[in-house]
Amino acid sequence: MIKIEKLVLQKCFDYSSSLNFIGGQIAKDGTLILIESDLQELDFFQRPVQKNNWTIRIFKDDSIETVELKNVPLIPTEVDLFSDGTLLIVQGRCLKDGNYIERNARRYNPNGQLIEAFTLGDGIEHVQIDETDTIWVSYFDEGIFGNFGWEKPMGSEGLIAYRKNGSKLWGAGSYGIIDCYALNVVSSKEVYFYYYDDFFLVRLNEMEETIRYRIEGDDTITQFMFDHKGLIGQVDLSTIMRFRIRNRTITPKEKIQIIDESGKPIIGPMFMRGKFLFAHGKDGIYKKVFE
């Protein structure tokens, strides 16, 4: 009999939407942000990008805020919040055509007005902002080795920290990253990233390595978090795994089933960052905080 750990999440919002879920993120303070659209299909390579409207839902404390972004020339795949409440959206694919380079990052105020636009490069896997407003960007292989017109990709180091205006602050060039699978920015003093082809999970403090773990097993972890039992990792759209940590080695232990307080499985997107775990179910938003 296969052992399965059951993890109970509490419903924190009754929520359903007529719009389509596009993406989401947990901000550094535990705020959940969702990107929604009425579009049925997204073509990330069509150029020029058609201007569309995007709805951003912000779940904070006991309220749901909505920010409407109008006539946006991007398809936002990543979203996060700066400390002043302004919103960053990023399109994961970024065209370079000769001297023309797309500005695939845009910052908006809470009223949906554009403040500035800049470039973060192609092949973006994850974007997370820490408490100093440093933007951490991880890249997959095409953003590291070049595609979509990029001979010298911005993401060649695999993981890069940018200032609020998009200027480069630091890069993980010494790690030889081929694909940065997962990122978890708890704070500037606690940044975790997991990469191929070394299969190391590294912790940084102020951009200096403090610890590294080797991850064993055949599964690719796309997001993860730590709790008192070890590590929780998502390995595909429907599978969450428990991993054991021993002697700086992380090994898969068993599957985790995410359930509500009545024991019913929660089906939908999962989000992990710091001590926060969210699930976007059909009828609501569910949450667990690991103290």
Side-chain angles (χ1 to χ4, degrees):
M1 184 176 178
I2 299 174
K3 187 178 179 183
I4 297 178
E5 177 183 339
K6 293 185 184 296
L7 195 58
V8 180
L9 273 61
Q10 295 182 331
K11 184 187 279 190
C12 53
F13 292 95
D14 285 312
Y15 182 74
S16 61
S17 177
S18 61
L19 299 175
N20 297 313
F21 168 78
I22 305 299
Q25 171 84 279
I26 305 172
K28 57 189 175 295
D29 64 352
T31 299
L32 179 66
I33 317 157
L34 302 181
I35 309 168
E36 297 181 345
S37 170
D38 60 0
L39 296 177
Q40 298 293 327
E41 294 183 4
L42 303 176
D43 185 344
F44 295 104
F45 293 99
Q46 180 183 351
R47 294 298 183 274
V49 177
Q50 299 298 310
K51 290 185 177 181
N52 288 298
N53 300 334
W54 305 90
T55 298
I56 309 297
R57 309 282 191 199
I58 301 173
F59 299 82
K60 184 173 184 177
D61 300 325
D62 297 322
S63 67
I64 305 174
E65 300 174 28
T66 298
V67 180
E68 298 288 354
L69 304 181
K70 304 289 188 182
N71 300 313
V72 180
L74 296 180
I75 299 175
T77 55
E78 308 296 322
V79 63
D80 208 340
L81 290 166
F82 289 104
S83 57
D84 61 2
T86 55
L87 191 72
L88 177 70
I89 61 167
V90 179
Q91 175 177 270
R93 303 312 307 239
C94 179
L95 175 67
K96 184 178 187 298
D97 186 2
N99 293 326
Y100 169 76
I101 302 175
E102 280 183 313
R103 293 187 293 174
N104 64 324
R106 292 165 74 90
R107 184 160 70 99
Y108 290 87
N109 69 18
N111 295 321
Q113 296 168 315
L114 180 65
I115 298 172
E116 63 180 332
F118 49 90
T119 301
L120 291 177
D122 184 47
I124 290 174
E125 188 79 61
H126 301 285
V127 176
Q128 295 182 7
I129 300 170
D130 70 22
E131 82 287 356
T132 69
D133 286 333
T134 297
I135 307 165
W136 294 84
V137 182
S138 67
Y139 297 84
F140 56 85
D141 52 357
E142 291 182 34
I144 294 171
F145 297 103
N147 196 1
F148 219 29
W150 291 85
E151 293 181 2
K152 297 180 179 180
M154 286 179 64
S156 61
E157 294 177 281
L159 175 68
I160 298 179
Y162 297 92
R163 296 179 182 87
K164 192 174 184 178
N165 64 0
S167 60
K168 183 181 174 181
L169 194 59
W170 176 88
S174 63
Y175 288 91
I177 298 171
I178 291 176
D179 198 322
C180 192
Y181 288 143
L183 177 68
N184 190 333
V185 178
V186 183
S187 71
S188 61
K189 295 177 170 55
E190 196 175 352
V191 173
Y192 300 93
F193 66 97
Y194 169 52
Y195 70 97
Y196 175 78
D197 65 343
D198 286 330
F199 299 107
F200 283 132
L201 191 158
V202 176
R203 173 177 169 164
L204 304 175
N205 181 342
E206 302 285 3
M207 302 172 189
E208 295 285 341
E209 180 179 322
T210 58
I211 192 170
R212 68 169 64 190
Y213 303 92
R214 162 118 18 220
I215 295 187
E216 296 184 340
D218 299 326
D219 297 308
T220 299
I221 299 173
T222 57
Q223 59 174 336
F224 62 87
M225 64 187 300
F226 292 90
D227 70 353
H228 65 283
K229 293 183 180 179
L231 183 130
I232 298 169
Q234 182 164 14
V235 298
D236 61 41
L237 287 175
S238 59
T239 307
I240 308 292
M241 293 286 295
R242 161 68 62 196
F243 292 80
R244 180 190 288 114
I245 303 174
R246 281 185 181 165
N247 301 323
R248 299 197 179 182
T249 299
I250 298 175
T251 54
K253 182 183 178 186
E254 62 198 15
K255 287 187 177 182
I256 294 177
Q257 186 178 41
I258 305 295
I259 59 175
D260 64 18
E261 293 161 287
S262 66
K264 183 180 178 182
I266 303 171
I267 308 299
M270 302 284 171
F271 311 92
M272 304 177 193
R273 184 171 177 183
K275 62 183 180 180
F276 303 100
L277 172 60
F278 281 89
H280 179 2
K282 291 181 179 179
D283 62 344
I285 304 296
Y286 296 80
K287 178 182 180 181
K288 184 172 179 63
V289 182
F290 296 86
E291 299 297 349

